[in-house]
Amino acid sequence: MSHILTISNLQSGGLITNYYCTSSCRHCLYRCSPLWPKKYINKEQTYKNLSIIKQLGCNSFHIGGGEPLLNVDGLIEVLKIAKELDVIVEYIETNSSWFNQVENACDILNELANYGVTSLLVSISPFHNEFIPFYKVRGVLNSCKKTGMPVNAWTFEFFNEIDNLDHFKPHTLDEFELHYGENYISEIPQRYWISHGGRALDTFSKINYGKALPALLAEHNCGCKELESTSHFHIDLFGNYIPGLCAGLSIMAEDIGNTIDPAKYPLITMLHTMGIRNFFRYAMDNFGFESSKAIYFSKCELCYEIRKYLVCSAGIRSHELEPVEHYTLPQNTKCH
Ligand code: SF4
Ligand code: SF4
């Protein structure tokens, strides 16, 4: 009998303040986009989430989304509560879409610094550049320099390639391939770490060769221990703890810190103890799931397809498959 999933302490992770975003990046783990409801974390949930994080041994966290700076007032409330609870904000992730001019950006950065923010993680990638003209990113970098806000650019690897293109409009991935070669996109995962979940599954399963379904199921014949990892955890504005980096799976934040009750979390327990093979059989036998492809990029692609089927075709609503928009919203990745 495999051991029961237990989340007893948290190592390092982040707070998802919102899922709505200006962009619909093709690698986005949480499938954020402008189509999500414009909901931002409230004070009560921030208290709850940060208290749980702290109780479980994690005294610092980062803030991400969605784009957290789309609601500066909401963000300031989060920072105030972090200060009150004595939990350090390691950095805030941003895609720079909020930039309009340096003076305004400096005002915002100074305000964040006053509330204890010591670093910004600025996203730089071809995926982001499909939606956000580079002058905005450069504007945020300049404003950080002016205000003394330390920056971690994720990642400078792509800076020159994006900088060489017109700064005042976004560029499609096709344009990147036109400029830098036809393997440009497929080689990106070799150049920086991308979590192969969420929309990255849709993108890279179209590009990269995978495994035939029987071979995939034979290879993954045991439980998903990834669900135990707390080295890059996230808790969202709805109080969902996302186990591992398995976006779209959820454990209520108040249920972590202990063993996860198999009766309350049958799907996550099945994935953890028996893995994708049993999950696949369960969905076939109980809900008539049929795989749509002969070849899958990864077990997580199949896992997502099953979960989406359960939500969208079998009509299952479950606290384990939250937020439901992760499955139900259209995945429009067209540039604006
Ligand atoms: S990866 Fe792109 S879509 Fe996802 S939150 Fe960041 S900027 Fe938004
Ligand atoms: S198969 Fe599902 S549960 Fe297992 S690691 Fe992938 S996304 Fe997570």
Side-chain angles (χ1 to χ4, degrees):
M1 169 82 182
S2 306
H3 67 280
I4 294 175
L5 178 60
T6 306
I7 311 288
S8 52
N9 63 71
L10 298 175
Q11 291 175 48
S12 174
L15 182 71
I16 296 175
T17 51
N18 54 307
Y19 284 105
Y20 65 91
C21 188
T22 48
S23 308
S24 311
C25 299
R26 294 187 205 222
H27 69 323
C28 185
L29 176 59
Y30 292 110
R31 296 181 180 269
C32 299
S33 79
L35 299 179
W36 281 75
K38 303 278 176 294
K39 289 183 182 161
Y40 204 88
I41 195 164
N42 62 27
K43 289 191 210 176
E44 192 190 1
Q45 194 64 55
T46 305
Y47 264 110
K48 273 192 195 163
N49 289 358
L50 296 189
S51 303
I52 289 168
I53 288 173
K54 198 171 171 179
Q55 269 166 28
L56 295 181
C58 192
N59 292 313
S60 61
F61 70 108
H62 66 266
I63 297 174
E67 172 50 49
L69 276 139
L70 292 180
N71 181 349
V72 175
D73 292 341
L75 179 57
I76 298 290
E77 291 305 324
V78 171
L79 298 175
K80 284 183 189 166
I81 293 167
K83 201 167 192 174
E84 197 181 320
L85 295 176
D86 198 20
V87 195
I88 294 164
V89 178
E90 292 162 5
Y91 57 88
I92 299 174
E93 296 177 355
T94 185
N95 65 16
S96 304
S97 59
W98 50 277
F99 177 86
N100 52 20
Q101 48 181 302
V102 171
E103 291 72 24
N104 293 349
C106 288
D107 287 348
I108 291 172
L109 293 174
N110 283 329
E111 198 175 4
L112 297 182
N114 287 341
Y115 284 102
V117 176
T118 55
S119 174
L120 225 56
L121 186 147
V122 176
S123 299
I124 299 179
S125 81
F127 300 112
H128 291 88
N129 193 242
E130 277 210 290
F131 297 91
I132 299 163
F134 206 48
Y135 83 88
K136 285 181 177 276
V137 178
R138 291 190 65 118
V140 168
L141 294 177
N142 286 339
S143 307
C144 285
K145 200 169 179 186
K146 268 185 175 241
T147 54
M149 173 69 76
V151 170
N152 178 7
W154 185 251
T155 160
F156 265 122
E157 168 81 19
F158 300 110
F159 188 94
N160 289 338
E161 288 149 30
I162 301 170
D163 201 39
N164 284 338
L165 307 178
D166 185 341
H167 289 186
F168 290 95
K169 56 180 201 158
H171 302 280
T172 63
L173 295 186
D174 287 348
E175 278 179 83
F176 277 91
E177 295 213 318
L178 221 62
H179 280 88
Y180 299 115
E182 60 178 17
N183 294 329
Y184 185 82
I185 303 306
S186 62
E187 286 172 358
I188 284 181
Q190 292 153 36
R191 299 178 62 191
Y192 87 137
W193 182 81
I194 292 181
S195 177
H196 280 160
R199 226 179 265 127
L201 292 172
D202 311 346
T203 300
F204 290 104
S205 64
K206 282 184 201 134
I207 297 172
N208 291 341
Y209 183 73
K211 274 218 162 91
L213 183 59
L216 185 89
L217 295 175
E219 182 181 328
H220 297 290
N221 59 358
C222 53
C224 291
K225 299 307 166 209
E226 296 90 328
L227 291 160
E228 297 171 9
S229 172
T230 67
S231 62
H232 196 83
F233 71 85
H234 288 98
I235 302 186
D236 75 11
L237 61 150
F238 305 116
N240 299 312
Y241 169 85
I242 297 122
L245 285 168
C246 302
L249 287 177
S250 165
I251 298 171
M252 290 174 185
E254 58 264 31
D255 287 339
I256 59 173
N258 267 311
T259 52
I260 303 303
D261 180 358
K264 187 169 178 185
Y265 294 97
L267 301 181
I268 289 174
T269 301
M270 186 187 311
L271 282 161
H272 176 248
T273 55
M274 295 183 284
I276 189 67
R277 197 157 70 171
N278 277 67
F279 191 45
F280 175 67
R281 181 151 298 284
Y282 163 82
M284 277 199 314
D285 293 351
N286 294 283
F287 298 100
F289 171 77
E290 285 176 20
S291 55
S292 69
K293 302 162 72 173
I295 291 178
Y296 282 83
F297 171 57
S298 68
K299 65 173 180 174
C300 302
E301 187 195 1
L302 176 61
C303 183
Y304 178 71
E305 184 177 298
I306 295 170
R307 289 186 267 129
K308 187 172 167 69
Y309 175 86
L310 294 180
V311 171
C312 298
S313 301
I316 304 288
R317 288 294 176 271
S318 161
H319 54 271
E320 294 182 89
L321 301 174
E322 285 287 338
V324 74
E325 289 89 347
H326 189 81
Y327 303 100
T328 56
L329 285 179
Q331 299 298 308
N332 183 0
T333 50
K334 285 209 176 74
C335 306
H336 304 302

